[in-house]
Amino acid sequence: MRARLAEFVNNVLAVAWREATVMRHDKAFLGTVTMQPVMMLLLFGFALSNEPANVPWAVLDRSQGEESRRLVQEIAATGYFLPPRAVAGYQEGRALLASGDATALVVIPRDFARRALRGAPDVQVLLDGAEPLTAARVGGYIAAVARSFDPSGRALAERTERGGAYAGLAARERAGPLELRGRFWFNPTLADAPFFLAALAGMLLTNICFSASGLGLVGERESGTYEATLSLPISPLEIVLGKLLPYVAMSYVVLAMATLGAGLVFGVWPRGSLFGLLVLTLPFVLASLSVGVLISALARTSAQAVFLTVFVILPSFVLSGVMFPYQLMPDGVREVGAILPLRWYQIGLRRLVLRGAELGDVWLPLLALTLLFAILLALIRWRMSPRLA
Amino acid sequence: MSATGLMDQRASRETNHGAGREATRLRASLRRLRTLVVREARATLRDAFTMIALVTVPLVALLAFGFVLSTEVRGLRIGIVDTSESAEGRRLVADLAAGGQFAPIPFATREAAERALVAGELGAVLVLPAGLARSFGGAARAVDPPVVQVLYDGAETILAGNAEAFLRGLVGQSGARLASRVLDGTGDGRVRDGPGEAGPGSVAVTTHALFNPRLEGVPFMVAGTFGFVLSFLTVLITAVAIVNERLSGTFDQLQLTPATNLEILLGKLLPLGAVFSLDVALMVLVAGFVLGVWPAGSVLLFFAVSTFYVATTLSLGLIFSATSATPAEAVQKTVLFSVPLVQLSGFAFPIPNMPTPVQWLAEIFPATHYIRFTRGLYLRGEGVLELWPELLVLGAFGVALVAVALRTLERRA
C-alpha cells in the first residue's frame, strides 16, 4: 500500500516537473501572468467605478431666488456633479436629457422661496433612465440634499466644511420624525476600489487557470506529446494532478502579487485570517484548473479550446458577483452562477479581505469549492478514460 | 476546387486585352470575389462548432447580461436589534418586510447582529433605540427625534448603496406614519404621501425617470450586449479562422491565385458579415420577445450601423491574425483586446466615472462609440441628428481598420 502511494506521488511529481519545464519556456504565457495583475490592479484600483462622478446636469430655476441658488449650490457641493447648465425652459431641459447631455434635470418652481419659508417646497427631478445605475444614485443624492435643505442657510456652512462627501450625507440624515444614522461598515466611504480589489485575486486566477491548463493540454494533443505521456506507465489521474501542480504553485504567486499590490498601492490589506485566505485558495484553484482541463478534454482543436475558455471566463466575471451583486440577479440566473468557482471564491474573499472574517466564517464557500472540484474531477475522468482504451 | 476555379479565371484574364479591358477586369474581379465568398461560406457553414458558437453565444450573452445590472433591493437580509421592544418598533419592522425589499431577521443583542454582519450573513443591521416608543409621545417629537442606527455591509458596495437609499425612504415614511398616527390618534396608519411628509424646513422631491421609468437595468444591458457580442465574437472568430487557415497552408494558396488582396479581404468579410447581420436580427427579436426590450429608435438605422460596425471589427480580427504566427498568439491579442472592451467601453462601468486620462483611452475603442450609439438608439430613441458624432467616429474607425487590414495582407504577400 505504501509502495503504491510512493509510486503515485513520484509519478505526479514527475509529470509536474515536466510541466513546469514547459511553462518556464513559454514566454508569452509568463508575460501574461506578470502583466495581467498589474493591468487589472490599475484598472480596478484607479479607473473603474460605479460611483457617479462628473455627472452632467441641468437646472431649470423658475424662482431665481437666493434660496433656489443655495439649493443648487448644495447639490453641486456633493462633488458628484459637473457645473450645472442653466436652461430657460422645460423643453430645452428635456432635449438635454434626450441627447444624453444631462443625466438629471432639477426643476425649481416659481414659488420656491415663499413655500420654502412656509415649510413645504416641492422640487421636481427628471432623470435619464437610459443610465439606470447612475440615475438611481444621482436621484438619491439630490433627494438627500433636498430633504436636509435648510432655507435659512445655516446648514450650508456646516456641510461644506465636511466636504459634502457621501459619508457626510449619510451620517446625519433627518428622515421625518425619526433620525436615521447610517454607517457603512468595512468601507466607510462606499468606495468601489476596495470592493473590486478584494476580489482581484479571484479574477486573475480565473483568467490564468481557465486558459493555462486548457491550452496546454490541447496543444499537446495536437503535437502528439500527449499520446507519448499516455504510453508511460502512469494513470490519467496522476497525469492530471501532475499537470495541475505547477499551476497551483504559480497561483499562489499570483495571489501574493494581488494581495501585495492591493495593499501597497491602495492600502487594501486583508483584514481577516491570512491562513483562511491560503486555505480557501486551494480548492478554488483546483476547481478552476479542472474547468480548464475539462475544456481541453471537450475541445478538438486549440481554436475550439480558446473559444470555450473565453466563453467560460466571461460569464464567470459577469454572473459570479465580482462586478455586479449576484444577490439581485433573477432566480434562474443566480443558480447558474452558483456552479462557477469564482462565485464562491469571491464570497469568501470579500469576507476575509474586507469584513475581517476568520476561517470558520468561510466554511460554506470552502465546502462548495471542494464539492465543485470533486464533481469536475469525476467529469474529467469520465471524459478522458475512453481515450486510454 | 476553388483554386482551380481561380486558375481558370487567370487564364481568361490573360487572354483579354484591348478594348473594354476595364469592364472585363471588373467582371473577372466580381467572379473571383463570388468564388471566394462561396468558398468562405462553405467553410463557415461546414464548421459545426463555429455555427453553434455564432448562434448560442449572442443569445446566452443577451439572457445572462440582461439581468445582471440592478438598481433595486430585493430580499436583502437585514438584522433587527429592537431594544425598544415596543409596538412602534414592531410596526416599523413590519413596514420594512411588507415591500419585499428587506427580509428582517431579529437579533437579541447588537453583538450577535454585528457578528453576523462580519460573517456576511446580513446586508444591514437596523438598531431601534430604547426610547423609540416614548419619542412618539406628542411633544417629545419636536425636541429630539429618536435615533435609528443602521449599519450597512459596505463590503457589498452596490447593494449597500441601493439599500441605503431605500431604507432611508422606508424608515422616513414609516416614521412619519407612526408619528401622525400617534398625533392624530386615529391609529389607522394612513398618511398622505408626497410633500410635507419629510417635515417642515426640508424640500420634498418628486422624481421621474425618462425613457426607463423604473430605472431597470435590462434595457441598458441589452443595448450594451450588442456592442459586446459584435465587438468580441467577430474578432475572435475571424482571428481563429484565419490563423487556422494559415496553419493548414490554404491561406498561402489563396494568395498565389490571381485574386487581389482586396478581393481576399472582401471574400472573408462578406460571408461572416452576413452571418453577423443575421445574428443582430436574431438578437433584436430575442431581446424584444423574451426580454421585452425593443429599440426606441429606427430599426433600419440600427441594422445599417451594426452591419458597418461588423465590417470594422472583422477587419480588426483579420489584422490580429495576420500579424500573429500561431493561433495562441492571435488569441492572446484578442483576449488582451477584450479586457478593456468589457471594462473600458462603458459596457459595465459608466465612462464619466473614470479619471480623465482613462476616459481618453476609452474613446479610442470603436466599441465605446458603438455602445453609445446602441444605447442612444435603443433607450432614448435617438436618430442620426443626435448621434452623428458617434457615427462619424465609427465611420472613421471602419475606414482606417479596413485600410490597415489591406496593408497587413499586402505585407504578407
Side-chain angles (χ1 to χ4, degrees):
Chain A
M1 195 62 212
R2 182 176 293 170
R4 272 286 301 147
L5 189 70
E7 193 193 324
F8 179 79
V9 172
N10 217 1
N11 286 345
V12 168
L13 285 180
V15 178
W17 177 255
R18 171 186 174 283
E19 195 68 16
T21 314
V22 172
M23 217 162 84
R24 223 181 50 214
H25 289 97
D26 191 346
K27 285 220 175 62
F29 176 66
L30 287 182
T32 317
V33 168
T34 43
M35 278 311 295
Q36 224 173 35
V38 177
M39 203 166 94
M40 300 269 271
L41 190 72
L42 294 179
L43 267 180
F44 282 104
F46 285 122
L48 303 180
S49 167
N50 284 311
E51 197 183 0
N54 310 315
V55 178
W57 64 307
V59 177
L60 173 55
D61 187 354
R62 288 197 169 119
S63 85
Q64 294 290 345
E66 196 195 325
E67 289 79 8
S68 63
R69 269 197 294 278
R70 202 179 309 119
L71 179 67
V72 171
Q73 225 176 322
E74 283 202 25
I75 294 173
T78 54
Y80 298 106
F81 299 93
L82 293 172
R85 274 171 82 159
V87 290
Y90 201 73
Q91 284 312 314
E92 192 189 340
R94 270 195 80 115
L96 282 181
L97 285 176
S99 62
D101 291 325
T103 305
L105 170 67
V106 178
V107 183
I108 300 173
R110 205 175 300 282
D111 54 355
F112 181 77
R114 193 160 45 83
R115 291 181 64 173
L117 293 175
R118 274 216 323 256
D122 195 2
V123 167
Q124 199 189 8
V125 178
L126 291 178
L127 298 170
D128 175 10
E131 304 275 349
L133 196 63
T134 307
R137 298 251 176 125
V138 163
Y141 301 152
I142 295 178
V145 169
R147 213 178 289 131
S148 58
F149 179 67
D150 182 357
S152 62
R154 270 167 298 164
L156 181 63
E158 183 196 340
R159 193 165 298 109
T160 37
E161 242 169 63
R162 277 196 310 238
Y166 190 39
L169 271 181
R172 201 157 190 286
E173 168 70 33
R174 210 154 22 122
L178 291 178
E179 188 180 312
L180 197 62
R181 211 172 277 175
R183 247 196 317 148
F184 295 104
W185 268 29
F186 317 122
N187 185 4
T189 55
L190 217 59
D192 272 328
F195 175 70
F196 290 127
L197 289 176
L200 181 69
M203 293 189 251
L204 288 172
L205 291 178
T206 297
N207 263 349
I208 291 167
C209 294
F210 278 14
S211 44
S213 53
L215 289 176
L217 212 64
V218 183
E220 265 196 50
R221 209 146 64 210
E222 277 173 347
S223 63
T225 45
Y226 183 67
E227 273 70 21
T229 317
L230 283 189
S231 65
L232 297 173
I234 51 180
S235 72
L237 188 69
E238 287 163 354
I239 299 179
V240 169
L241 286 182
K243 277 183 155 302
L244 296 190
L245 212 56
Y247 288 107
V248 172
M250 188 196 62
S251 295
Y252 275 99
V253 175
V254 172
L255 176 71
M257 278 167 75
T259 311
L260 283 175
L264 290 175
V265 184
F266 300 100
V268 182
W269 293 104
R271 292 184 194 141
S273 141
L274 272 178
F275 177 67
L277 199 60
L278 294 179
V279 172
L280 184 70
T281 302
L282 186 66
F284 168 69
V285 166
L286 287 174
S288 295
L289 286 169
S290 307
V291 173
V293 174
L294 191 64
I295 287 171
S296 66
L298 289 172
R300 249 175 249 114
T301 63
S302 50
Q304 289 184 1
V306 166
F307 214 95
L308 286 171
T309 304
V310 169
F311 285 101
V312 180
I313 289 180
L314 281 165
S316 285
F317 275 44
V318 176
L319 297 180
S320 66
V322 284
M323 287 194 199
F324 309 98
Y326 68 93
Q327 294 94 330
L328 295 180
M329 291 174 194
D331 283 339
V333 178
R334 203 172 48 230
E335 271 82 65
V336 169
I339 61 172
L340 300 167
L342 186 55
R343 156 71 62 81
W344 299 102
Y345 191 52
Q346 67 93 4
I347 293 178
L349 272 181
R350 290 210 166 110
R351 282 186 193 171
L352 290 167
V353 176
L354 285 178
R355 299 199 185 95
E358 297 301 314
L359 184 59
D361 294 320
V362 293
W363 66 269
L364 184 65
L366 204 59
L367 188 74
L369 285 171
T370 314
L371 205 67
L372 274 177
F373 175 54
I375 293 171
L376 285 165
L377 208 58
L379 278 176
I380 291 170
R381 283 200 67 170
W382 164 76
R383 176 71 201 178
M384 298 213 341
S385 48
R387 285 155 205 248
L388 302 172
Chain B
M1 183 210 74
S2 55
T4 36
L6 290 165
M7 293 300 177
D8 290 347
Q9 283 160 31
R10 171 193 272 173
S12 78
R13 189 169 73 163
E14 276 165 2
T15 54
N16 265 306
H17 289 291
R21 198 152 68 181
E22 277 303 305
T24 320
R25 193 178 290 166
L26 186 68
R27 221 175 308 139
S29 170
L30 282 177
R31 223 171 27 228
R32 283 197 299 272
L33 189 58
R34 200 181 54 204
T35 315
L36 284 169
V37 167
V38 170
R39 166 189 184 274
E40 203 61 34
R42 275 205 193 128
T44 311
L45 288 174
R46 206 178 39 203
D47 185 1
F49 188 84
T50 309
M51 286 315 286
I52 291 170
L54 280 172
V55 177
T56 52
V57 171
L59 298 188
V60 170
L62 208 55
L63 296 176
F65 292 162
F67 294 113
V68 296
L69 187 73
S70 181
T71 56
E72 53 173 358
V73 181
R74 198 161 9 88
L76 188 79
R77 295 159 63 88
I78 183 167
I80 307 285
V81 183
D82 187 357
T83 47
S84 79
E85 301 273 344
S86 63
E88 283 79 3
R90 280 191 290 277
R91 183 63 208 266
L92 200 69
V93 173
D95 279 350
L96 275 184
Q101 288 96 352
F102 296 98
I105 298 159
F107 280 87
T109 64
R110 193 178 160 139
E111 282 67 36
E114 286 180 358
R115 183 84 199 94
L117 198 64
V118 171
E121 288 160 21
L122 298 175
V125 172
L126 187 74
V127 185
L128 300 175
L132 185 76
R134 202 188 43 218
S135 316
F136 281 116
R141 181 193 170 201
V143 183
D144 224 357
V147 177
V148 175
Q149 266 199 330
V150 191
L151 308 173
Y152 299 96
D153 174 12
E156 292 283 353
T157 318
I158 302 171
L159 278 185
N162 292 354
E164 201 246 339
F166 258 90
L167 204 58
R168 201 187 284 166
L170 267 176
V171 172
Q173 252 177 38
S174 186
R177 202 173 298 160
L178 283 171
S180 69
R181 193 169 56 127
V182 174
L183 291 175
D184 301 348
T186 51
D188 63 350
R190 258 190 303 132
V191 286
R192 69 198 172 100
D193 278 341
E197 181 188 289
S202 69
V203 176
V205 173
T206 326
T207 308
H208 299 286
L210 303 176
F211 318 120
N212 179 7
R214 291 171 55 203
L215 291 179
E216 283 168 351
V218 178
F220 180 76
M221 290 309 283
V222 163
T225 306
F226 280 97
F228 170 76
V229 169
L230 292 189
S231 311
F232 188 49
L233 197 59
T234 46
V235 176
L236 194 65
I237 287 206
T238 332
V240 167
I242 294 181
V243 172
N244 272 347
E245 220 182 297
R246 288 239 314 275
L247 279 182
S248 62
T250 47
F251 198 74
D252 292 328
Q253 279 177 12
L254 263 187
Q255 292 201 316
L256 287 177
T257 64
T260 62
N261 284 320
L262 183 65
E263 285 160 11
I264 295 179
L265 185 72
L266 285 177
K268 290 258 171 232
L269 292 192
L270 288 178
L272 281 173
V275 171
F276 278 108
S277 300
L278 283 179
D279 257 351
V280 173
L282 192 68
M283 285 172 72
V284 169
L285 291 177
V286 170
F289 284 117
V290 180
L291 303 172
V293 180
W294 294 100
S298 153
V299 180
L300 212 63
L301 178 68
F302 184 71
F303 270 106
V305 176
S306 297
T307 309
F308 181 77
Y309 180 65
V310 165
T312 311
T313 51
L314 286 177
S315 308
L316 196 62
L318 218 71
I319 295 170
F320 283 159
S321 59
T323 53
S324 313
T326 63
E329 204 185 319
V331 160
Q332 246 155 15
K333 277 182 187 158
T334 312
V335 172
L336 221 63
F337 162 80
S338 76
V339 171
L341 180 77
V342 176
Q343 286 154 1
L344 292 182
S345 67
F347 171 68
F349 301 94
I351 294 173
N353 298 1
M354 301 167 185
T356 317
V358 183
Q359 287 189 32
W360 295 334
L361 192 67
E363 295 295 326
I364 64 168
F365 291 103
T368 307
H369 300 274
Y370 179 67
I371 288 176
R372 222 176 264 158
F373 160 78
T374 55
R375 288 204 175 128
L377 189 141
Y378 242 86
L379 290 131
R380 298 195 197 99
E382 288 177 305
V384 181
L385 278 181
E386 294 89 359
L387 289 168
W388 66 267
E390 303 305 330
L391 296 181
L392 214 63
V393 175
L394 280 176
F397 269 123
V399 172
L401 284 173
V402 170
V404 173
L406 266 177
R407 283 271 314 269
T408 31
L409 281 183
E410 255 154 39
R411 211 179 311 139
R412 288 194 42 81

